[in-house]
Amino acid sequence: MPKVLITDDDQKLLKMLKRTLAYENMDVLTASTGVEALEIVHQQKPDLMILDWMMPEMDGLELIQRLRAMNNRLPVLMLTARDAIEDRVDGLESGADDYLVKPFAPSELVARVHALLRRIETRPDDTVVQYADLMLDPVQHEAWRGTRLLDLTVTEFNLLHYFLRHPRQVLERSQILTEVWGYDFGGDSNVLEIYISYLRKKIETDGEPRLIQTVRGIGYVLREE
């Protein structure tokens, strides 16, 4: 039974989410503050966190940043009323794995939670993959550009892994979203484009040649120019 931690200071929403996920046969933990959530993460070791952005004392962004600073790779689904693309970028850049705008249908939240859980439940191929000077080791959870170790979030790592398993193959946006995120985004590719931007920055930070190429009107491909 997957263990899910919900962190939100809105007690009404907290109860609704707990009831919804308990119905899906999940062990649901709750926290009303960021400090309480950190304690539960250390003690209970949940499989996934659902986190509200706007909370008193410690907001969702600060909480995620503290987790990532401790090298904690707990998957995080961010909940927020902020729907501007800039806010989505901030949420994902902080280390969140997915982002859901309020108000949302409970069925959509359940779909996102199941998708994130499938990603951590699926046993990864333990084969080291390489293309050009990019290399990724799924077992050690390390990725390299030449001799430089890349500091990647869970989602960035999974996205790069998918590209490295399909070098020189043009991948459609919908195909990448389905395979990496595990569900249909309804045609919204903003999240994918944001993560492509993150990956490019991290693998090209020392001026290396671009390897993730845009195929206009279709998607992306990993290949040398």
Side-chain angles (χ1 to χ4, degrees):
M1 179 183 295
K3 189 182 295 184
V4 179
L5 170 60
I6 307 171
T7 304
D8 199 314
D9 63 327
D10 183 337
Q11 294 302 311
K12 184 177 180 180
L13 180 60
L14 201 62
K15 290 178 181 178
M16 184 276 285
L17 295 177
K18 181 176 182 178
R19 186 169 58 251
T20 299
L21 295 181
Y23 184 78
E24 294 291 322
N25 199 32
M26 298 182 190
D27 182 8
V28 183
L29 309 171
T30 61
S32 300
T33 68
V35 173
E36 185 182 359
L38 284 175
E39 293 177 356
I40 292 175
V41 168
H42 291 310
Q43 295 172 5
Q44 302 289 332
K45 294 181 171 44
D47 300 303
L48 181 144
M49 182 191 290
I50 298 173
L51 174 62
D52 184 52
W53 183 325
M54 301 302 295
M55 293 189 300
E57 299 179 16
M58 183 192 305
D59 67 16
L61 293 187
E62 182 180 352
L63 175 54
I64 295 176
Q65 289 164 356
R66 290 197 184 190
L67 286 172
R68 299 308 185 230
M70 295 184 290
N71 201 32
N72 188 306
R73 299 184 180 277
L74 175 68
V76 175
L77 171 60
M78 178 80 82
L79 303 181
T80 178
R82 303 184 179 199
D83 60 357
I85 187 63
E86 295 83 2
D87 295 321
R88 183 173 298 198
V89 170
D90 289 342
L92 294 172
E93 199 162 38
S94 71
D97 297 279
D98 201 356
Y99 186 104
L100 188 57
V101 177
K102 301 176 182 178
F104 52 82
S107 59
E108 182 176 9
L109 177 125
V110 168
R112 304 262 181 138
V113 168
H114 279 305
L116 286 171
L117 289 173
R118 279 197 300 271
R119 283 164 49 187
I120 61 176
E121 289 170 357
T122 302
R123 181 177 178 83
D125 184 351
D126 60 4
T127 304
V128 174
V129 285
Q130 183 171 1
Y131 177 75
D133 59 348
L134 269 178
M135 184 177 71
L136 183 147
D137 185 339
V139 175
Q140 298 298 322
H141 208 275
E142 292 181 344
W144 300 77
R145 179 88 195 242
T147 59
R148 179 166 57 84
L149 180 64
L150 303 176
D151 181 17
L152 304 179
T153 66
V154 173
T155 302
E156 291 166 352
F157 187 90
N158 292 337
L159 181 57
L160 181 60
H161 192 193
Y162 186 62
F163 275 117
L164 283 167
R165 286 186 285 118
H166 301 86
R168 297 180 298 276
Q169 180 180 338
V170 176
L171 304 171
E172 296 183 4
R173 289 179 175 83
S174 59
Q175 178 182 357
I176 300 171
L177 289 169
T178 299
E179 293 297 328
V180 176
W181 275 263
Y183 63 94
D184 186 1
F185 271 80
D188 179 7
S189 63
N190 287 334
V191 169
L192 173 58
E193 291 174 355
I194 289 168
Y195 271 103
I196 292 291
S197 174
Y198 292 165
L199 262 185
R200 283 173 170 166
K201 288 178 182 177
K202 291 185 177 182
I203 67 179
E204 300 170 10
T205 189
D206 287 346
E208 296 96 336
R210 173 157 294 181
L211 291 177
I212 299 177
Q213 316 292 344
T214 300
V215 182
R216 192 174 301 278
I218 301 177
Y220 300 92
V221 59
L222 179 69
R223 69 183 176 207
E224 296 178 285
E225 290 181 307

